[in-house]
C-alpha cells in the first residue's frame, strides 16, 4: 500500500504537532527524484506535543511495523514518552517517528536550520539539505550513502 503522505501531513499539521519532515520525503521536497514508501518525521518530545501526536495518528490505527500482530501496543503520550523512535503502519501507510536523528540530534537541533515550506496547503518544517547530509552520513546504510551525491548536487544548484 502506498503511503498517503498528504493525509498524514494534514493530520499532523491539523493537530498542531511540532514536527519536521526528514528522510526521503524531505529530499524530494528539495528537488530529488528519490522514491519512498513512507513518511519520516522528527517530533518534539514535550508532553503536550506527545498528546497532539498521539491524537493526530490515533484515528489511523497505528501499529508497530514488523511486530507480531498480537503484540499489545497503544500509541499514546505515555508510549511516545517511554520510547524514542517508532516505525509504524497505519491505515494511511507507513510513518516513522524519530525523537532524535543520528548525525543531527534532537527535534530542536533539526528545526534550528530547517526550511519552512508550504505542502498540501500546510506550512511545515523540512530538514535542510545540510542536515540531511549529516544524517545520511551518520546512518551509513547503502541507500543513504547513495543519496549523498544527489544531496551534493542539490546543494550546488541551490547556491
Amino acid at each position: 500500500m502506498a503511503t498517503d503522505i498528504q493525509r498524514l501531513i494534514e493530520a499532523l499539521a491539523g493537530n498542531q504537532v511540532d514536527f519536521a519532515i526528514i528522510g526521503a520525503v524531505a529530499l524530494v521536497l528539495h528537488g530529488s527524484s528519490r522514491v519512498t514508501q513512507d513518511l519520516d518525521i522528527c517530533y518534539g518530545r514535550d508532553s503536550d506535543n506527545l498528546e497532539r501526536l498521539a491524537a493526530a495518528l490515533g484515528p489511523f490505527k497505528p501499529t508497530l511495523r514488523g511486530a507480531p500482530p498480537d503484540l499489545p501496543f497503544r500509541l499514546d503520550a505515555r508510549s511516545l514518552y517511554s520510547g524514542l523512535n517508532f516505525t509504524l503502519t497505519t491505515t494511511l501507510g507507513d510513518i516513522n517517528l524519530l525523537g532524535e536523528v543520528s548525525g543531527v540530534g534532537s527535534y530542536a537541533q533539526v528545526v534550528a536550520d530547517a526550511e519552512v515550506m508550504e505542502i498540501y496547503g500546510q506550512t511545515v518544517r523540512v530538514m535542510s539539505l545540510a542536515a540531511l547530509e549529516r544524517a545520511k552520513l551518520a546512518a551509513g546504510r547503502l541507500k543513504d550513502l547513495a543519496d549523498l551525491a544527489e544531496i551534493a548536487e542539490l546543494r550546488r544548484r541551490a547556491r
Side-chain angles (χ1 to χ4, degrees), residues 40-154:
D40 300 326
I41 67 164
C42 182
Y43 64 98
R45 299 217 10 105
D46 64 90
S47 60
D48 288 342
N49 197 56
L50 298 180
E51 293 283 351
R52 293 190 300 268
L53 178 55
L57 296 179
F60 310 114
K61 300 177 176 52
T63 60
L64 294 171
R65 189 165 61 246
D70 59 343
L71 181 73
F73 174 74
R74 187 169 134 204
L75 184 71
D76 57 17
R78 184 176 179 192
S79 297
L80 290 166
Y81 179 80
S82 297
L84 184 64
N85 299 335
F86 298 85
T87 57
L88 303 174
T89 295
T90 73
T91 57
L92 296 180
D94 294 343
I95 184 168
N96 301 319
L97 312 177
L98 283 77
E100 290 182 355
V101 178
S102 295
V104 180
S106 69
Y107 172 74
Q109 291 164 306
V110 169
V111 299
D113 71 346
E115 296 182 29
V116 175
M117 295 184 182
E118 186 86 10
I119 303 159
Y120 303 122
Q122 307 297 323
T123 302
V124 299
R125 292 181 174 104
V126 177
M127 183 181 260
S128 71
L129 284 172
L132 279 163
E133 185 174 54
R134 291 192 308 273
K136 298 286 184 180
L137 279 168
R141 299 172 300 187
L142 191 56
K143 69 179 182 177
D144 295 307
L145 297 175
D147 288 335
L148 291 174
E150 187 163 16
I151 290 170
E153 178 61 19
L154 290 169

